[in-house]
Amino acid sequence: MKIGQGLSDGALNVVHLPLCLFITISLSGLFSLAFKLGYMPIVISICIFLSVVLLVAIFTSKFHSMSLIGTRLSLAHISLTCLLGGVAVHPPPEIPIMMLWSISIIATTSIIISTIEIWLTEKVQYSSAFSQQLERQINGVLFFSIALFIYASGKVNEWVIAIGVINHATLFYTLIFPNHYKKPLKSWYPFLRLGMIIIITLALLPIITSQIALGFILISLGLCLAAGATEIRFSLVYNHIHKIRK
């Protein structure tokens, strides 16, 4: 949305965040009820939602009451991701096969929504500094959640969690130090991070063996490192560290 214009049809601002929270609670509640997970996934989903929104609001200098959060698709993407995050942090001792399929479908749905959302916001300019960072951090939560699910499924050891940590650390670093963030000019670049989420989601599918899952995870790790290396201005990072040492 350009300065001086009203809110475009289909664009949502931060006033709609309570609605997004309500959808998150509803979806988390239904999922927890369906698989008898108790109330903890719901509580964790709420905490994830509030934490991400507050952190982005704090570190985004252009945040205000009319800041855009994206489109109606953003509500679904954020809610589904927070649902996955809540279950991933507090999974059952043993994940049933039906639950694993459900998680895979939800993750795939969230990825599809995010893909459409990125394309749509670029076309119609339904984005702001707040919405762009919110999208990045939510996708980081999605990636990390899938990594946790893969570990919980027993396909690989706990090192897969480190990939999620590396990815989210990169995203969080560029949130805290926006001047160190170098936004790539290529129009296809936003889909690079989605690509690595898609690949790691394939590793989660119940029909994928541990050996094949390992291959997908390593490819996803390579894309994660490539994305981080492309986005961060390492010369500024070096100067920042050098000043701290002085």
Side-chain angles (χ1 to χ4, degrees), residues 63-84:
F63 175 78
H64 51 80
S65 61
M66 292 301 292
S67 295
L68 295 179
I69 62 171
T71 66
R72 293 180 178 89
L73 292 174
S74 305
L75 301 182
H77 177 49
I78 295 171
S79 299
L80 289 174
T81 300
C82 290
L83 156 64
L84 292 176

Side-chain angles (χ1 to χ4, degrees), residues 31 34-35 94-106 206:
F31 192 89
F35 291 99
E94 186 174 345
I95 301 180
I97 190 70
M98 185 59 68
M99 181 178 172
L100 199 57
W101 273 114
S102 299
I103 291 168
S104 301
I105 292 171
I106 293 173

Side-chain angles (χ1 to χ4, degrees), residues 35-99:
F35 291 99
K36 300 179 181 179
L37 301 177
Y39 65 90
M40 280 305 297
I42 305 173
V43 174
I44 296 172
S45 296
I46 295 172
C47 292
I48 291 173
F49 175 88
L50 295 176
S51 299
V52 172
V53 171
L54 287 175
L55 284 172
V56 174
I58 291 171
F59 290 105
T60 304
S61 58
K62 296 182 180 180
F63 175 78
H64 51 80
S65 61
M66 292 301 292
S67 295
L68 295 179
I69 62 171
T71 66
R72 293 180 178 89
L73 292 174
S74 305
L75 301 182
H77 177 49
I78 295 171
S79 299
L80 289 174
T81 300
C82 290
L83 156 64
L84 292 176
V87 180
V89 173
H90 190 75
E94 186 174 345
I95 301 180
I97 190 70
M98 185 59 68
M99 181 178 172

Side-chain angles (χ1 to χ4, degrees), residues 15-243:
V15 177
H16 295 89
L17 285 176
L19 174 60
C20 188
L21 177 59
F22 174 76
I23 296 173
T24 299
I25 295 172
S26 300
L27 292 178
S28 299
L30 289 173
F31 192 89
S32 297
L33 181 63
F35 291 99
K36 300 179 181 179
L37 301 177
Y39 65 90
M40 280 305 297
I42 305 173
V43 174
I44 296 172
S45 296
I46 295 172
C47 292
I48 291 173
F49 175 88
L50 295 176
S51 299
V52 172
V53 171
L54 287 175
L55 284 172
V56 174
I58 291 171
F59 290 105
T60 304
S61 58
K62 296 182 180 180
F63 175 78
H64 51 80
S65 61
M66 292 301 292
S67 295
L68 295 179
I69 62 171
T71 66
R72 293 180 178 89
L73 292 174
S74 305
L75 301 182
H77 177 49
I78 295 171
S79 299
L80 289 174
T81 300
C82 290
L83 156 64
L84 292 176
V87 180
V89 173
H90 190 75
E94 186 174 345
I95 301 180
I97 190 70
M98 185 59 68
M99 181 178 172
L100 199 57
W101 273 114
S102 299
I103 291 168
S104 301
I105 292 171
I106 293 173
T108 303
T109 303
S110 185
I111 293 168
I112 293 172
I113 292 173
S114 182
T115 304
I116 298 173
E117 183 185 7
I118 290 175
W119 175 82
L120 186 61
T121 52
E122 289 293 329
K123 290 292 183 181
V124 296
Q125 296 182 340
Y126 286 174
S127 63
S128 64
F130 177 80
S131 68
Q132 290 172 3
Q133 277 293 348
L134 184 62
E135 173 76 16
R136 284 169 57 81
Q137 300 304 319
I138 286 295
N139 280 336
V141 172
L142 178 59
F143 187 86
F144 187 64
S145 300
I146 296 170
L148 288 175
F149 280 126
I150 293 174
Y151 168 65
S153 68
K155 288 188 177 183
V156 295
N157 295 328
E158 59 272 6
W159 63 267
V160 69
I161 300 176
I163 301 177
V165 173
I166 292 171
N167 177 62
H168 212 73
T170 303
L171 295 172
F172 192 61
Y173 181 85
T174 56
L175 173 64
I176 299 176
F177 301 103
N179 59 319
H180 292 182
Y181 173 57
K182 179 177 61 177
K183 185 177 181 179
L185 300 178
K186 300 293 184 180
S187 59
W188 51 263
Y189 180 80
F191 300 99
L192 174 61
R193 285 194 174 275
L194 282 177
M196 71 186 198
I197 299 175
I198 292 171
I199 292 172
I200 201 172
T201 302
L202 292 175
L204 180 63
L205 295 174
I207 59 174
I208 300 298
T209 63
S210 298
Q211 292 78 10
I212 298 176
L214 177 61
F216 283 137
I217 293 169
L218 291 177
I219 294 173
S220 186
L221 173 61
L223 293 176
C224 174
L225 295 175
T230 305
E231 292 177 352
I232 297 177
R233 300 177 186 270
F234 286 99
S235 59
L236 294 179
V237 176
Y238 173 79
N239 292 336
H240 183 73
I241 296 174
H242 188 65
K243 288 180 180 179

